[in-house]
Amino acid sequence: MRGRVVGTGSAVPEKILTNFDIEKLVDTNDEWIRTRTGIRERRIAGEGEYTSTFATIAAKKAMEMAEILASEIDLIIVATVTPDFPFPGTSCLVQDSINAVNATAFDISAACSGFIYGLSIADKYIKTGAIKNALVIGGEVLSKITDWSDRNTCALFGDGAGAVVLSAESGSRGILETFHKSDGSKWELLYQPAAGIRNPVTQKVIDERLMYINMQGNEVFKLAVKAMEEAAVKVLKASSMTIEDVDLFIPHQANLRIIDAVARRLGVPSEKVYINIDHYGNTSAGSIPIALDEANRKGIIKEGNNIILDAFGGGLTWGAVSICW
Ligand code: UT7
């Protein structure tokens, strides 16, 4: 038995914030943002829209495609660093919204690699025979933890969620191999300093703007390229595949220059690399499932295609998944 992706879905806010809009907030310009990151615009959650909002819509779309009832879902995993509440998990809110009464639900926090971790966990539940159907969701509302006065970070992030339904199947199609790894010694390179219990929100925290994403971008950039290459190589090898066997490479959308560098190192031709960072920016755990759903709905992915998903994020965390579609 292995987990096969039988449905995908995604949801992003309607509100678009362009680079020209960001020019009005900080000392930056469209040309810098486009050439340094590949981003042209991003989606920003409106009033009353939370991570659970987009996660729920994405989940419903994935279940509709899978033609599966909510009551048939055994496991719901939401990967996010922007949960609606510290607890309960956003996964429990999604469970409630879709009425998945027979599921167990929990969140995982692995930053931009969260969806990869979630797929790996769900696949292992399936492989042990513990469950039949899982909803794996990655979603964020990063705009709420973005410092809109910091030009080093505010142009990078966006909001949205993506989801897949994984179902137990025998045969050659489905998740082939997963790999993920962490390096906790570098946690300070990318983190949210306050709003957890170490630094609860106080006036001092607000004055020092500690509740916003803090990133040493340049360091993260270099490590991301190496780690994403490592992860992709690991799953290719474990799947007995070479890069020539890969039909579509879907990397985490953090920076177009990172994507290009990883693809170059791996030898993936650009036409096999899925890119949508220009429209959404970095949606952290949402980025890969949103891209996967877009590629699927556009008909880019065909039955039997070999797909590699590859991510890197705060933690540090990284990982990859190989799928035969
Ligand atoms: O999601 C997973 C984790 N995240 C990532 O993988 C992100 C990784 N990092 C990056 O994508 C890039 O490092 C950034 C896009 C964040 C920055 O690009 P960079 O080429 O690494 O630039 P830098 O940080 O080395 O900064 C170069 C200059 C600096 O000016 P000085 O000190 O040289 O005068 C920055 O202040 O660019 C400046 N800068 C900007 N200028 C205009 C930084 N942000 C901006 C901006 N507009 N928005």
Side-chain angles (χ1 to χ4, degrees):
M1 282 297 182
R2 61 173 95 239
R4 184 165 82 80
V5 177
V6 291
T8 62
S10 60
V12 294
E14 268 180 32
K15 187 179 169 194
I16 294 172
L17 197 72
T18 66
N19 291 348
F20 299 103
D21 296 323
I22 291 186
E23 281 183 7
K24 294 177 196 139
L25 303 175
V26 290
D27 179 18
T28 189
N29 57 73
D30 170 60
E31 209 247 331
W32 191 97
I33 302 170
R34 262 191 301 105
T35 54
R36 305 306 289 173
T37 72
I39 302 166
R40 289 172 185 273
E41 59 188 33
R42 69 286 293 143
R43 299 299 181 101
I44 302 295
E47 193 73 24
E49 291 181 326
Y50 316 110
T51 299
S52 65
T53 314
F54 305 109
T56 298
I57 300 169
K60 285 182 176 168
K61 286 182 179 171
M63 288 192 302
E64 196 179 303
M65 186 187 283
E67 296 180 352
I68 198 166
L69 299 171
S71 59
E72 295 173 272
I73 300 288
D74 307 305
L75 170 67
I76 302 173
I77 297 177
V78 173
T80 186
V81 292
T82 48
D84 289 30
F85 305 108
F87 76 91
T90 301
S91 51
C92 294
L93 307 180
V94 173
Q95 174 182 25
D96 182 41
S97 303
I98 64 174
N99 205 25
V101 289
N102 296 314
T104 182
F106 57 86
D107 286 11
I108 56 167
S109 172
C112 306
S113 314
F115 182 72
I116 297 290
Y117 276 60
L119 272 187
S120 173
I121 294 166
D123 185 51
K124 286 176 176 67
Y125 270 85
I126 287 173
K127 285 202 167 99
T128 61
I131 64 158
K132 273 183 80 177
N133 301 308
L135 247 179
V136 184
I137 306 167
E140 308 283 2
V141 174
L142 293 172
S143 59
K144 300 281 192 225
I145 59 164
T146 297
D147 185 347
W148 293 102
S149 67
D150 175 14
R151 73 171 183 172
N152 289 302
T153 52
C154 78
L156 306 176
F157 302 109
D159 303 336
V164 300
V165 175
L166 269 192
S167 287
E169 273 192 24
S170 54
S172 57
R173 293 168 67 199
I175 292 188
L176 303 176
E177 295 291 338
T178 63
F179 167 83
H180 45 87
K181 203 174 167 191
S182 323
D183 180 0
S185 72
K186 295 192 175 62
W187 63 270
E188 279 177 295
L189 291 181
L190 175 51
Y191 77 122
Q192 186 186 355
I197 56 152
R198 193 179 292 199
N199 292 310
V201 179
T202 58
Q203 191 55 50
K204 185 168 175 285
V205 159
I206 294 169
D207 293 344
E208 292 174 7
R209 311 188 76 73
L210 296 177
M211 60 292 191
Y212 298 122
I213 299 169
N214 182 306
M215 178 170 70
Q216 293 175 42
N218 212 275
E219 267 310 295
V220 172
F221 187 113
K222 287 181 264 179
L223 292 165
V225 173
K226 281 192 202 135
M228 288 173 73
E229 181 191 14
E230 179 201 2
V233 167
K234 290 265 187 207
V235 292
L236 281 171
K237 206 168 165 211
S239 316
S240 305
M241 267 194 237
T242 67
I243 205 70
E244 284 72 36
D245 299 317
V246 175
D247 297 293
L248 191 65
F249 179 63
I250 305 184
H252 170 48
Q253 313 278 313
N255 185 317
L256 187 56
R257 290 184 295 135
I258 295 179
I259 296 172
D260 286 346
V262 174
R264 211 170 32 246
R265 280 167 173 246
L266 290 170
V268 193
S270 56
E271 62 276 13
K272 288 186 177 178
V273 182
Y274 193 82
I275 290 165
N276 65 3
I277 189 172
D278 42 334
H279 292 300
Y280 303 124
N282 179 351
T283 57
S284 188
S287 108
I288 288 179
I290 292 171
L292 182 65
D293 180 50
E294 271 192 4
N296 190 24
R297 285 176 192 267
K298 282 181 183 164
I300 293 171
I301 306 177
K302 309 268 188 295
E303 190 177 319
N305 275 178
N306 291 320
I307 298 165
I308 302 289
L309 313 178
D310 195 4
F312 178 87
L316 301 173
T317 58
W318 61 100
V321 172
S322 56
I323 303 175
C324 176
W325 200 260

